[in-house]
Amino acid sequence: MVEEDSGTGALPEDLPGALPDGPSVIIVGGGLIGLSSAYYLRKAGASVTVLERGLVGGGASRFNAGEITSSVSPLPGPGIIGEVASTIFRSDGAVYLSPRQAVRGARFFTRFLRHCTQKSHDAGLAALVALNQRSFPLFDELAVEGVAADMHTNGYLVCCSSEAAAQEARHHYEELPHLAAAPGPLLRGADLRAAEPALSPAAEHGFVRHGERWINPSPFVDRLADALRSQGVVIVENAEVVSLRESGHGVEVLTRVGAFNGDSAVIAAGVWSEDLCRRLGVPLGMQPGKGYSFTVGVDTMPERVITFSDEYVVATPEGERVRIAGTMEFDGTREGLNIRRIQAMVNAVRHFLPGADWENLADEWVAPRPMTVDGLPFIGRLHDSSRILVATGHNMLGLTLGPATGVLVADLALRREHGLDLAPFSVRRFA
């Protein structure tokens, strides 16, 4: 399974071997998609090795808003440009595109604009809904198995700046197919704050999205990784992948700590999948859309996720603190933290959460979401006869679609029936 390569560094002496009781699959990437793929491959009897360039759960997996939602929708759409046009070049805007990246990434953003039609959006929505139909049942199973033990099902509270904005947002959710439950009635003033006592009088309009779920993603990642290790899955951290080589007999994955051999491999490395696929002759054309978050102490803990829709910011309870997450930054980098983005989020929501200790933020975080021009992930083989699969490009839906993608990857790797139209997710659709 593992061969030491003196040119790339010595292997850890205590590295265990994967269980040799089924086809061997190497997962490149230890985030939500990679770990979920490993989980369902191992359930199906495969021997699995996960290779992670840093630490498990790095990238966008750990410190997002924790939403597990039925309202999946591709980002490109008829209204998105109008929503962000006035602030997109402002560094404190909810969506920020640096002028330099607007030029360097012109091909991506031009193609993104071409997908902002109703026809393209409707087709993408249908594809995401079909994939997401598996998500809630799979998370229910994960809850029973202890992996998603702290999942909450009491929905989200949506706060809007005006009654008109609340009505428009509520109407949007009413029209989405396969919503977990119909949104609740419009709430105003005291009724809104009765539904969520953590809010200040500045919050005047909103409604509850019933039936939606949420979880603290960092402990979820840890429990998923622990479950994999207990089942004999090998997880190798700090194992940056240099190359993948395919033959008629299997796949060799060369890393900084040695070479790993398997019957097949899955590239599930988030935005870093772009580099690996490009070397294999299949560029995906993804862009890193950086998301930010931090935690803050509050006097009154929210009872559920609060979505501040006009500010593009989400507040999620995490024990004794609240995680504030959101925004989108396209500046061409993958991990550079811009403190102005953090401050913009504070300014956007501080008047809604009384008693929050805004002077003592903690856990400031930034990570790149793997954004695609049509808002759909890449799931499938590099080509029809390839032993290398790809599962990446989940935009802002990695947590929600993780288990459903993992089951699909297992079906594809083991050549089982899956019953899903994969054409919208084709790895080569933009190659």
Side-chain angles (χ1 to χ4, degrees):
M1 189 71 180
V2 183
E3 298 174 359
E4 186 169 335
D5 187 326
S6 59
T8 55
L11 291 171
E13 293 182 359
D14 60 347
L15 182 66
L19 297 179
D21 56 343
S24 57
V25 185
I26 300 171
I27 309 290
V28 180
L32 282 166
I33 303 300
L35 295 177
S36 296
S37 298
Y39 190 80
Y40 292 103
L41 277 162
R42 185 68 197 114
K43 265 195 167 187
S47 297
V48 184
T49 300
V50 177
L51 306 176
E52 165 54 41
R53 66 186 298 274
L55 301 179
V56 164
S61 294
R62 279 194 185 274
F63 302 117
N64 53 74
E67 294 169 298
I68 303 166
T69 180
S70 64
S71 61
V72 292
S73 182
L75 183 61
I80 186 65
I81 302 304
E83 289 181 26
V84 303
S86 62
T87 61
I88 195 167
F89 292 115
R90 282 176 37 189
S91 62
D92 61 347
V95 179
Y96 172 59
L97 171 61
S98 72
R100 179 180 180 185
Q101 188 58 20
V103 175
R104 295 180 61 185
R107 179 176 175 83
F108 174 91
F109 297 110
T110 300
R111 297 168 92 180
F112 181 95
L113 288 173
R114 290 175 182 166
H115 283 90
C116 289
T117 65
Q118 193 66 54
K119 180 179 179 181
S120 178
H121 181 81
D122 289 347
L125 177 61
L128 287 176
V129 167
L131 177 60
N132 197 44
Q133 282 181 330
R134 309 176 178 199
S135 292
F136 277 22
L138 289 171
F139 270 104
D140 287 337
E141 292 176 7
L142 290 169
V144 172
E145 293 162 0
V147 178
D150 61 342
M151 179 176 64
H152 302 266
T153 60
N154 61 341
Y156 315 149
L157 182 70
V158 180
C159 285
C160 301
S161 59
S162 67
E163 184 168 344
Q167 289 175 335
E168 182 178 354
R170 187 178 180 279
H171 179 65
H172 164 75
Y173 288 113
E174 281 184 315
E175 290 192 326
L176 286 178
H178 303 289
L179 208 63
L186 286 179
L187 300 171
R188 301 173 181 84
D191 290 336
L192 179 65
R193 294 188 292 277
E196 181 48 78
L199 291 171
S200 76
E204 282 289 330
H205 308 280
F207 57 93
V208 177
R209 289 175 54 192
H210 296 291
E212 303 291 5
R213 295 143 180 244
W214 53 280
I215 197 169
N216 187 339
S218 188
F220 175 69
V221 166
D222 288 334
R223 288 192 298 269
L224 187 53
D226 289 344
L228 289 171
R229 292 186 179 102
S230 72
Q231 295 162 13
V233 171
V234 177
I235 299 178
V236 188
E237 298 180 309
N238 300 309
E240 181 182 357
V241 171
V242 177
S243 66
L244 293 87
R245 301 169 187 165
E246 187 173 4
S247 69
H249 304 290
V251 178
E252 179 188 61
V253 181
L254 187 64
T255 77
R256 300 289 182 191
V257 297
F260 295 75
N261 295 282
D263 296 315
S264 61
V266 180
I267 299 175
V271 75
W272 286 273
S273 303
E274 178 70 41
D275 306 331
L276 297 172
C277 290
R278 189 173 293 274
R279 292 173 203 163
L280 293 167
V282 185
L284 304 178
M286 294 190 299
Q287 281 277 321
K290 288 157 52 180
Y292 284 78
S293 80
F294 59 88
T295 64
V296 61
V298 293
D299 287 344
T300 303
M301 185 62 59
E303 297 178 0
R304 54 168 63 85
V305 164
I306 304 175
T307 300
F308 300 100
S309 62
D310 300 290
E311 290 76 17
Y312 297 89
V313 172
V314 176
T316 304
E318 287 189 3
E320 297 181 353
R321 299 179 70 83
V322 173
R323 179 163 297 279
I324 307 296
T327 81
M328 180 77 72
E329 180 182 39
F330 294 100
D331 68 350
T333 70
R334 294 178 177 177
E335 296 177 295
L337 189 147
N338 181 350
I339 194 63
R340 287 177 294 182
R341 306 292 295 164
I342 296 287
Q343 191 57 50
M345 294 166 67
V346 171
N347 294 338
V349 301
R350 66 184 308 155
H351 55 294
F352 290 120
L353 297 174
D357 187 4
W358 299 111
E359 303 305 316
N360 291 290
L361 308 183
D363 309 312
E364 290 95 338
W365 169 89
V366 62
R369 308 178 184 103
M371 307 301 292
T372 60
V373 297
D374 58 359
L376 302 181
F378 296 100
I379 308 173
R381 298 182 182 277
L382 278 179
H383 52 76
D384 289 344
S385 60
S386 179
R387 291 175 175 268
I388 300 175
L389 291 87
V390 178
T392 191
H394 289 70
N395 293 262
M396 296 175 287
L397 295 170
L399 175 57
T400 292
L401 295 176
T405 299
V407 169
L408 182 55
V409 166
D411 289 340
L412 291 171
L414 303 178
R415 299 190 180 275
R416 303 184 306 194
E417 290 295 324
H418 52 76
L420 195 67
D421 179 12
L422 292 182
F425 309 118
S426 170
V427 177
R428 304 183 68 89
R429 67 185 186 269
F430 304 125

